[in-house]
């Protein structure tokens, strides 16, 4: 299943099929088709994207033309079973119905996501513009597919995002348009802390002017933004970098819209409305950018009463094009800014444009992008095992979802003959665990920030010694949905554990929820390739009649296990052992 971006493949204006975003999105589908995959395309579309988008059949015809392969629509009832597999014999590429018609999509409804992905082995997300949202078709479906990966367009867009965040060239200046300063305050903190200057060219400029004590008409002041603007100004002063705002504006007479005049930014007369940057503003903007080696333009040169494309945006585009010729690294973000850039220059590189500004604002705020987090991140890890452990040849114990690290750190102190590795997705917990490792001089313990569900194989396969034990204890404690706590156990993770585990190696599983423990046992035995068996060592552990270990076989408990035992509740434990088995 491929989640496509309708704003790229279904736009109304004449599509430039040579553009990087279009060609990458098309290449994702063609690559999968040529590899022999049956492809189900899913997306949402609205008439504001393209007035011709009436129904799924029309969209399928448009996609057929774009990708040069026949696309067939599938009619399905999302409240029942999605589709019957015999339907897939009719063609190779299919299109499901418009997701914007289903409220379950934006609600990330679990049942809807499960039906949406029924029969799907691999999920490919190629809709980067939706990666800041939590949708059933980008996040929910990831729970139910064996592999979840990025398409070519998605991956290229993510690289663009990372490129913007880098400060490899200086001076680096951010040109900031648009409004809603209060909502974007965290992102602006990020920019003012990294860039060598900020230039405000949109509605946010009035909030900066207001915080500086300049006269601003009340109707241009954003409620609640004063303190946030002051904080941004203070950071700039502390770093000794400039914050620029327009010196003058073209203004429209409120009663005679055809009448225009230029006013200083701090002295806009009553009855006049700012619509565009004035000539002094543009001159200062040009002079402030002339020495730049890297420029980010995010948000439109637009004010409350502006037209769709201002002369200021056109002049700014011309200035940026001249700087590009001098090898200045320029990235343009936002639909209106990108359109202005394309209108003024046929030579603009689409590689340097990101049309959806919302994704970048969320990224700058330091928030995790749900659409990115839902994907498998099984890229090769380069770990210097010699730096991690004093003796990297020792047998390895891995705790998946190591949490606060109490179990692993306790084991590391007891067993100096083993190395211990914690894989944890929570940044703060990993930082605390590594602080403990350094504080107590532990030389056989190490923690990695990662989603072990998808990176276990790439991490552990590079370890020089044997993997002798893997533990999973009380996975993903979601107290609101205890029945979902086993879902971290994808078949790909279990198969990786079994493949990498040494002969006679052990898998230790435990949970305070019996159903979770039973589900973990069932999944490991089902996906264990016939190599895993229940371990019953009468000399080392007591078993109750239901094959649960009555005591912790290691004598070291995790913090959650201590809590459960302390309140008098049982833990459901079992150990599996790897034999040669039968493939």
């Amino acid at each position: 299943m491929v989640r496509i971006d309708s704003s790229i493949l279904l736009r109304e204006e004449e599509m430039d099929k040579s553009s990087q975003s279009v060609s990458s999105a098309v290449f994702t589908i063609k690559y999968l088709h040529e590899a022999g995959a049956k492809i189900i395309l899913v997306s949402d579309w609205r008439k504001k994207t393209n007035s011709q988008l009436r129904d799924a059949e029309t969209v399928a015809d448009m996609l057929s033309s774009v990708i040069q392969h026949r696309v067939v629509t599938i009619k399905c009832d999302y409240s029942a079973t999605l589709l019957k597999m015999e339907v897939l014999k009719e063609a190779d590429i299919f299109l499901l119905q418009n997701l914007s018609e289903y409220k379950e999509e934006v609600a990330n409804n679990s049942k809807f996501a499960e039906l949406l992905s029924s029969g799907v082995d691999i999920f490919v997300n190629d809709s980067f513009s939706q990666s800041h949202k939590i949708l059933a078709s980008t996040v929910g479906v990831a729970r139910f597919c064996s592999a979840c990966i990025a398409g070519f367009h998605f991956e290229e867009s993510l690289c663009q995002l990372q490129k913007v965040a880098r400060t490899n060239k200086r001076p680096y200046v951010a040109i900031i348009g648009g409004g809603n300063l209060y909502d974007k305050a965290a992102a602006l903190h990020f920019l003012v802390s990294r860039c060598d200057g900020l230039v405000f060219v949109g509605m946010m400029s009035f909030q900066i002017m207001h915080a500086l004590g300049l006269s601003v008409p009340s109707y241009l002041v954003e409620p609640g933004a004063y303190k946030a603007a002051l904080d941004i100004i203070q950071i700039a002063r502390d770093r000794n970098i400039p914050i620029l705002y327009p010196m003058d504006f073209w203004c429209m007479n409120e009663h005679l819209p055809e009448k225009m005049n230029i006013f200083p930014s701090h002295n806009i007369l009553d009855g006049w409305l700012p619509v565009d940057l004035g000539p002094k503003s543009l001159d200062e903007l040009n002079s402030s950018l002339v020495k730049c080696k890297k420029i980010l333009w995010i948000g439109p040169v637009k004010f409350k009463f502006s037209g769709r494309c201002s002369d200021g945006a056109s002049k700014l585009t011309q200035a940026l094009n001249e700087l590009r010729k001098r090898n200045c690294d320029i990235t343009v973000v936002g639909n209106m800014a990108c359109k202005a850039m394309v209108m003024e220059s046929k030579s603009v590189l689409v590689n340097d444009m990101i049309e959806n500004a919302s994704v970048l604002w969320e990224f700058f705020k330091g928030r995790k992008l749900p659409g990115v987090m839902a994907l498998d991140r099984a890229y090769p890890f380069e770990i210097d095992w010699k730096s991690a452990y004093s003796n990297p040849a020792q047998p390895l114990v891995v705790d998946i979802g190591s949490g606060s690290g109490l179990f692993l750190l306790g084991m590391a102190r007891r067993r100096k003959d083993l190395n211990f590795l914690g894989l944890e997705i929570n940044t703060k917990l990993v930082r605390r665990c590594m602080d403990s490792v350094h504080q107590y001089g532990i030389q056989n313990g190490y923690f990695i920030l990662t989603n072990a569900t998808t990176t276990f194989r790439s991490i552990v396969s590079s370890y020089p010694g044997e993997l002798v034990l893997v533990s999973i204890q009380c996975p993903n404690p979601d107290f609101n949905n205890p029945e979902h706590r086993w879902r971290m156990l994808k078949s790909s993770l279990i198969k990786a554990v079994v493949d990498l585990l040494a002969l006679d190696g052990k898998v230790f599983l435990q949970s305070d929820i019996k159903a979770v423990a039973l589900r973990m046992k069932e999944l490991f035995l089902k996906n264990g390739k016939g190599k895993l068996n229940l371990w019953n060592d009468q000399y080392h552990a007591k078993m109750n009649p239901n094959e649960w270990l009555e005591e912790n076989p290691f004598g070291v408990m995790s913090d959650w296990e201590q809590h459960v035992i302390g309140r008098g509740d049982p833990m459901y434990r079992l150990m599996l052992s790897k034999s040669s088995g039968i493939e």
Side-chain angles (χ1 to χ4, degrees):
M1 182 166 71
V2 182
R3 211 308 183 174
I4 61 172
D5 191 337
S6 60
S7 66
I8 293 174
L9 293 178
L10 300 175
R11 61 181 59 172
E12 186 160 19
E13 58 265 25
E14 185 64 29
M15 186 180 297
D16 180 6
K17 295 180 182 178
S18 65
S19 76
Q20 188 64 34
S21 56
V22 174
S23 61
S24 296
V26 170
F27 185 49
T28 295
I29 301 169
K30 287 188 173 182
Y31 178 90
L32 294 167
H33 180 258
E34 290 169 10
K38 292 282 187 179
I39 304 167
I40 300 171
L41 304 177
V42 294
S43 189
D44 60 330
W45 55 85
R46 294 173 176 80
K47 286 192 175 181
K48 70 176 183 179
T49 303
N50 187 333
S51 58
Q52 299 176 27
L53 302 179
R54 296 184 298 275
D55 50 35
E57 285 73 18
T58 304
V59 173
D61 290 342
M62 291 179 65
L63 289 172
S64 298
S65 174
V66 172
I67 65 178
Q68 298 296 295
H69 286 287
R70 179 169 168 255
V71 178
V72 176
T73 58
I74 299 178
K75 292 184 178 179
C76 49
D77 180 6
Y78 287 126
S79 63
T81 303
L82 181 61
L83 58 90
K84 296 180 180 180
M85 297 312 291
E86 54 262 28
V87 174
L88 298 181
K89 296 177 182 178
E90 297 177 9
D92 293 327
I93 306 176
F94 302 87
L95 174 69
L96 294 187
Q97 289 155 277
N98 188 356
L99 293 177
S100 65
E101 298 174 1
Y102 297 89
K103 62 184 179 182
E104 294 88 349
E105 159 74 344
V106 293
N108 189 25
N109 180 275
S110 181
K111 183 65 176 176
F112 180 76
E114 186 174 11
L115 291 171
L116 193 63
S117 57
S118 66
V120 173
D121 300 303
I122 299 172
F123 168 59
V124 180
N125 190 350
D126 216 21
S127 181
F128 189 75
S129 65
Q130 303 289 340
S131 61
H132 61 302
K133 299 178 181 179
I134 302 175
L135 304 175
S137 66
T138 60
V139 175
V141 295
R143 299 178 186 172
F144 306 103
C145 301
S146 297
C148 307
I149 58 178
F152 293 114
H153 166 67
F154 191 104
E155 186 172 3
E156 287 174 0
S157 299
L158 186 58
C159 289
Q160 285 178 311
L161 216 61
Q162 294 166 331
K163 172 189 167 186
V164 171
R166 288 197 295 267
T167 54
N168 54 322
K169 291 185 177 182
R170 291 192 180 278
Y172 179 14
V173 169
I175 303 168
I176 301 166
N180 299 319
L181 184 144
Y182 179 78
D183 182 58
K184 296 167 183 170
L188 293 170
H189 282 197
F190 175 88
L191 289 172
V192 77
S193 299
R194 286 184 168 238
C195 295
D196 301 304
L198 301 186
V199 181
F200 288 90
V201 296
M203 284 298 296
M204 279 190 263
S205 60
F206 293 109
Q207 318 321 317
I208 296 296
M209 291 159 56
H210 184 226
L212 287 169
L214 299 175
S215 175
V216 175
S218 59
Y219 63 86
L220 295 173
V221 175
E222 178 189 333
Y226 181 77
K227 174 66 167 58
L230 274 179
D231 290 343
I232 292 161
I233 293 167
Q234 188 58 52
I235 295 172
R237 285 172 175 167
D238 292 344
R239 295 191 62 227
N240 195 29
I241 65 169
I243 287 187
L244 303 181
Y245 53 87
M247 301 297 294
D248 59 353
F249 292 100
W250 277 103
C251 295
M252 173 183 73
N253 188 284
E254 187 176 4
H255 305 292
L256 299 169
E258 69 280 358
K259 191 173 182 180
M260 303 284 288
N261 209 340
I262 299 171
F263 290 95
S265 58
H266 60 278
N267 191 27
I268 299 175
L269 299 181
D270 291 342
W272 291 87
L273 310 173
V275 294
D276 204 353
L277 299 177
K280 289 183 180 179
S281 299
L282 291 170
D283 288 343
E284 185 185 41
L285 178 59
N286 288 342
S287 62
S288 67
L289 299 177
V290 71
K291 293 183 179 179
C292 289
K293 297 297 181 184
K294 185 170 183 175
I295 296 172
L296 166 69
W297 173 17
I298 178 169
V301 182
K302 187 176 184 297
F303 304 95
K304 269 188 178 179
F305 311 98
S306 302
R308 285 198 59 80
C309 191
S310 67
D311 186 56
S314 176
K315 295 282 176 52
L316 174 57
T317 300
Q318 292 169 18
L320 294 180
N321 280 329
E322 287 301 314
L323 289 169
R324 191 190 299 276
K325 294 174 185 176
R326 301 179 204 169
N327 206 29
C328 180
D329 188 343
I330 296 171
T331 303
V332 181
V333 181
N335 187 266
M336 291 182 71
C338 289
K339 281 184 178 178
M341 205 72 186
V342 171
M343 284 173 62
E344 290 295 326
S345 174
K346 297 298 181 183
S347 62
V348 64
L349 297 175
V350 182
N351 282 2
D352 299 326
M353 297 199 299
I354 303 172
E355 290 195 24
N356 191 306
S358 298
V359 177
L360 194 63
W361 284 121
E362 291 300 301
F363 178 73
F364 283 162
K365 289 175 187 177
R367 296 177 183 171
K368 303 289 187 184
L369 299 176
V372 177
M373 297 299 291
L375 299 178
D376 297 348
R377 291 174 296 287
Y379 46 82
F381 271 72
E382 294 182 8
I383 299 168
D384 185 354
W385 296 110
K386 290 182 180 178
S387 296
Y389 302 112
S390 59
N391 181 4
Q394 290 187 158
L396 182 68
V397 174
V398 178
D399 189 24
I400 298 176
S402 51
S404 66
L406 193 64
F407 169 75
L408 216 62
L409 293 170
M411 288 287 287
R413 292 188 185 97
R414 284 194 175 199
R415 295 293 303 270
K416 305 290 186 183
D417 58 322
L418 299 173
N419 286 336
F420 295 86
L421 176 64
L423 304 179
E424 171 59 47
I425 201 168
N426 187 302
T427 305
K428 290 182 179 178
L429 292 179
V430 172
R431 190 180 297 125
R432 288 176 194 165
C433 289
M434 286 306 296
D435 286 345
S436 297
V437 167
H438 298 312
Q439 181 181 351
Y440 298 109
I442 297 173
Q443 297 184 336
N444 63 333
Y446 194 69
F447 294 83
I448 295 176
L449 175 66
T450 185
N451 178 3
T453 304
T454 56
T455 60
F456 181 90
R457 186 184 296 274
S458 62
I459 292 173
V460 178
S461 62
S462 68
Y463 184 74
E466 283 191 326
L467 176 65
V468 294
L469 172 65
V470 174
S471 63
I472 302 176
Q473 306 182 49
C474 305
N476 191 23
D478 179 354
F479 299 103
N480 295 319
N481 288 296
E483 70 274 16
H484 293 167
R485 302 208 294 181
W486 52 268
R487 282 186 174 162
M488 67 175 284
L489 292 181
K490 290 187 178 181
S491 60
S492 57
L493 170 63
I494 296 172
K495 290 172 183 176
V497 169
V498 175
D499 288 344
L500 298 174
L501 197 63
L503 196 62
D504 294 325
K506 305 295 188 290
V507 177
F508 176 59
L509 307 172
Q510 74 168 347
S511 175
D512 58 315
I513 307 288
K514 188 175 182 180
V516 174
L518 284 169
R519 183 63 169 159
M520 288 196 292
K521 172 185 173 183
E522 173 190 327
L523 288 171
F524 265 92
L525 292 177
K526 177 182 176 182
N527 295 282
K529 303 181 179 182
K531 295 183 178 181
L532 293 179
N533 300 292
L534 278 173
W535 177 75
N536 185 356
D537 188 336
Q538 60 180 329
Y539 298 106
H540 293 88
K542 295 179 180 178
M543 305 286 290
N544 63 29
N546 294 317
E547 295 184 327
W548 300 115
L549 294 171
E550 291 185 358
E551 298 176 354
N552 186 314
F554 307 108
V556 178
M557 292 190 286
S558 69
D559 54 344
W560 185 248
E561 184 178 3
Q562 288 183 10
H563 174 73
V564 172
I565 299 300
R567 72 188 184 197
D569 290 335
M571 290 294 294
Y572 300 92
R573 313 179 183 93
L574 68 140
M575 189 91 78
L576 302 172
S577 181
K578 180 180 176 179
S579 61
S580 57
I582 302 172
E583 287 288 351

